[in-house]
C-alpha cells in the first residue's frame, strides 16, 4: 500500500517535457522514489523510462567510472522517442553533475533526480546546471495527507498520533506504536551512519549524538554556538570546540534531520548570524529519542507550523519587534 502524494505528482506533471532537470530533494525515506514511480505509472505509461538506482551499493561501484556511466546511458536511449531518465540518490556518484549536464543537452531526454543531501545543489553544481534545473523539496506528510489516508472520523486522535509519531510515510502505514518507534529509530540510525558518520569520518560518535539530542530537546529555542558549546561542555565534561559543534549542526541540516533558521533584526531587516532556532524535519524521529517529560506540546506545534510553512514555499525567519509583546 502506498500514499499518493498528489501535490508532488501535479508539480511533476506540470513540468514534464519542459527541458529542465527536475530535482527532488528531501530526507531519506520521505517518499521521493515512490513519487517518481507513481508519476511514471500515471503519466508515462507508454513512454521509455530508464531508472538508475544508486541506493544499491553495486550500482554505486559500477557507475563510478564516469565515461562508462555516460556510455551506458547513451546506449540505452531510444533515438526516435522521448526518454525519461530517473536517477535515484545520485549524490552517491562523485562528478554526477558533469554527466547530467552533458546528457541534458540532448533533445529527446527528460531528466528527474532524487537526492537526500542539501549539498546536492552546492554553488559549484548550481553554476554548472544554471537555468537547467528546478528544485522540488519533498517533506514528510502534511496533516491533510496523513488524515486523508487514515480515513478516520477521529480527527483529534489522528492529530495526536501525527504529533507524537511524525509524518514519515512508512510510519503512517504502520499501526502499532512499538513498530512505529522501532522504524523511526532504525531510520535515524540509517541516516546518521550513511549520511553523516561515514561520509564525514566522525570519530566521537557519542559526542555527535549528544549534540543531536540537545538540539532536539530545544526545538524552537533561541540558540547560539556559544550557548550550545557552554552547556554541552559543562554537562558532559567535554572539550568539544564550537567549530566542531557548528560542523555537526551543518551535517544534520544537510541530511534534513534538522532545519536551522536565522534570527533577523526586524527593524533593520538584517540577519543576525550568531542567533538562530533549530527545528526537526520530522517530529516523530525527534520524539523517538526524547523522554516523555520533554514532550512539549507547544514546541511541537510550533515545529509543525514551521515545516508547514516550508512545505508551502514560504521563507521563514525568526525575529522580535519591541512593539509586539
Amino acid at each position: 500500500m502506498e500514499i499518493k502524494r498528489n501535490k508532488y505528482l501535479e508539480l511533476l506533471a506540470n513540468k514534464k517535457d519542459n527541458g529542465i532537470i527536475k530535482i527532488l530533494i528531501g530526507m531519506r525515506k520521505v517518499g521521493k522514489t515512490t513519487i517518481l514511480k507513481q508519476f511514471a505509472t500515471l503519466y508515462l505509461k507508454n513512454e521509455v523510462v530508464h531508472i538508475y538506482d544508486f541506493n544499491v551499493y553495486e550500482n554505486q561501484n559500477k557507475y563510478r567510472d564516469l565515461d562508462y556511466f555516460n556510455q551506458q546511458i547513451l546506449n540505452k536511449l531510444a533515438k526516435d522517442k522521448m526518454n525519461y531518465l530517473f536517477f535515484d540518490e545520485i549524490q552517491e556518484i562523485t562528478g554526477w553533475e558533469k554527466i547530467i549536464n552533458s546528457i541534458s543537452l540532448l533533445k529527446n531526454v527528460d531528466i528527474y533526480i532524487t537526492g537526500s543531501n542539501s549539498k546536492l545543489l552546492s554553488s559549484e553544481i548550481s553554476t554548472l546546471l544554471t537555468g537547467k534545473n528546478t528544485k522540488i523539496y519533498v517533506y514528510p506528510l502534511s496533516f491533510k495527507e496523513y488524515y486523508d489516508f487514515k480515513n478516520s472520523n477521529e480527527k483529534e486522535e489522528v492529530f495526536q498520533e501525527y504529533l507524537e509519531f511524525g509524518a514519515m510515510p512508512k510510519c503512517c502505514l504502520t499501526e502499532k506504536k512499538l513498530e512505529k518507534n522501532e522504524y523511526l529509530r532504525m531510520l535515524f540510525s540509517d541516516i546518521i551512519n550513511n549520511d553523516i558518520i561515514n561520509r564525514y569520518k566522525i570519530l566521537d560518535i557519542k559526542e555527535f549524538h549528544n549534540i543531536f539530542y540537545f538540539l532536539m530537546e530545544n526545538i524552537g529555542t533561541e540558540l547560539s554556538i556559544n550557548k550550545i558549546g557552554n552547556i554541552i561542555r559543562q554537562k558532559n565534561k567535554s572539550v568539544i570546540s564550537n567549530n566542531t559543534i557548528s560542523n555537526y549542526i551543518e551535517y544534520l541540516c544537510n541530511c534534513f534531520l534538522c532545519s536551522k533558521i536565522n534570527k533577523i533584526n526586524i527593524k533593520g531587516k538584517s540577519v543576525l548570524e550568531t542567533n538562530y532556532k533549530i527545528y526537526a524535519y520530522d517530529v516523530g524521529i525527534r520524539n523517538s529519542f526524547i523522554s516523555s517529560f520533554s514532550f512539549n506540546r507547544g514546541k511541537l506545534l510550533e515545529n509543525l507550523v514551521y515545516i508547514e510553512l516550508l512545505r508551502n514555499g514560504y521563507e521563514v525567519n525568526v525575529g522580535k519587534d519591541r512593539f509586539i509583546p
Side-chain angles (χ1 to χ4, degrees):
M1 187 179 295
E2 293 179 346
I3 300 172
K4 195 173 176 184
R5 311 292 300 273
N6 290 319
K7 173 184 175 180
Y8 299 107
L9 293 172
E10 290 170 9
L11 269 173
L12 291 174
N14 290 334
K15 297 176 185 297
K16 177 175 172 283
D17 298 330
N18 66 355
I20 302 296
I21 301 165
K22 276 67 74 174
I23 304 180
L24 280 68
I25 310 175
M27 186 191 302
R28 285 184 186 269
K29 304 300 182 182
V30 79
K32 304 182 297 295
T33 304
T34 299
I35 290 167
L36 283 185
K37 289 179 179 178
Q38 290 175 349
F39 173 68
T41 299
L42 287 170
Y43 297 99
L44 306 176
K45 287 181 181 178
N46 300 312
E47 306 289 358
V48 179
V49 178
H50 305 284
I51 298 175
Y52 297 87
D53 182 1
F54 301 108
N55 266 316
V56 181
Y57 186 73
E58 288 78 8
N59 286 349
Q60 293 176 26
N61 284 336
K62 184 165 64 173
Y63 293 123
R64 289 195 191 283
D65 182 331
L66 295 183
D67 290 333
Y68 172 80
F69 181 20
N70 186 62
Q71 196 57 51
Q72 286 296 303
I73 297 172
L74 294 175
N75 289 344
K76 292 181 179 180
L77 295 181
K79 294 182 180 180
D80 56 344
K81 289 185 177 182
M82 179 64 77
N83 294 263
Y84 296 88
L85 307 181
F86 292 2
F87 298 94
D88 198 17
E89 298 296 344
I90 199 171
Q91 78 273 351
E92 302 296 342
I93 305 298
T94 302
W96 67 267
E97 63 278 6
K98 297 174 184 176
I99 299 296
I100 297 301
N101 186 51
S102 173
I103 297 295
S104 69
L105 298 176
L106 301 174
K107 296 185 181 298
N108 64 330
V109 299
D110 194 21
I111 299 174
Y112 300 79
I113 293 171
T114 75
S116 55
N117 192 299
S118 65
K119 289 298 183 182
L120 191 68
L121 280 182
S122 65
S123 57
E124 180 184 343
I125 294 171
S126 295
T127 299
L128 191 60
L129 300 179
T130 295
K132 298 181 181 179
N133 72 84
T134 182
K135 294 173 286 184
I136 300 173
Y137 287 94
V138 180
Y139 292 92
L141 301 172
S142 67
F143 180 64
K144 184 181 186 310
E145 289 177 307
Y146 194 94
Y147 183 64
D148 287 350
F149 178 79
K150 288 294 183 179
N151 194 26
S152 168
N153 293 322
E154 302 297 329
K155 200 165 191 176
E156 181 57 38
E157 182 180 315
V158 174
F159 182 73
Q160 183 58 33
E161 179 183 300
Y162 182 78
L163 191 65
E164 182 175 355
F165 295 104
M168 298 302 286
K170 187 171 181 179
C171 203
C172 178
L173 294 168
T174 303
E175 292 299 326
K176 295 181 180 179
K177 291 186 176 183
L178 180 61
E179 291 179 3
K180 286 178 183 286
N181 266 320
E182 287 176 349
Y183 170 72
L184 291 168
R185 285 173 172 264
M186 180 190 71
L187 175 59
F188 169 78
S189 178
D190 183 44
I191 294 172
I192 288 294
N193 289 326
N194 290 312
D195 293 339
I196 299 181
I197 291 174
N198 293 338
R199 177 166 295 174
Y200 298 108
K201 312 300 181 188
I202 292 176
L203 299 178
D204 195 334
I205 298 173
K206 182 179 179 180
E207 191 85 273
F208 175 80
H209 280 84
N210 287 337
I211 298 297
F212 175 74
Y213 297 151
F214 175 84
L215 295 175
M216 292 298 95
E217 286 177 340
N218 291 279
I219 55 172
T221 302
E222 188 174 318
L223 298 169
S224 69
I225 287 295
N226 285 335
K227 182 177 181 179
I228 298 171
N230 290 338
I231 293 174
I232 291 292
R233 285 188 287 269
Q234 183 176 12
K235 181 179 179 181
N236 301 318
K237 295 184 171 28
S238 168
V239 293
I240 189 171
S241 69
N242 285 358
N243 186 59
T244 298
I245 293 172
S246 181
N247 287 339
Y248 286 176
I249 293 174
E250 181 182 355
Y251 302 157
L252 288 164
C253 291
N254 285 347
C255 65
F256 300 101
L257 279 171
C258 297
S259 180
K260 172 184 170 184
I261 62 171
N262 291 315
K263 183 176 181 180
I264 63 168
N265 180 331
I266 293 179
K267 186 176 180 180
K269 296 184 179 180
S270 58
V271 176
L272 305 176
E273 297 289 350
T274 57
N275 296 79
Y276 49 80
K277 288 187 176 184
I278 297 287
Y279 293 97
Y281 259 91
D282 181 71
V283 295
I285 293 177
R286 181 259 183 200
N287 294 337
S288 69
F289 285 92
I290 303 301
S291 56
S292 58
F293 67 81
S294 293
F295 192 85
N296 185 318
R297 186 178 176 87
K299 289 296 184 183
L300 291 175
L301 290 173
E302 181 181 334
N303 200 125
L304 291 184
V305 170
Y306 168 67
I307 296 299
E308 185 65 20
L309 289 170
L310 294 184
R311 188 183 286 114
N312 285 281
Y314 290 96
E315 180 180 342
V316 184
N317 288 297
V318 60
K320 188 173 182 179
D321 191 310
R322 65 188 180 91
F323 296 109
I324 301 177

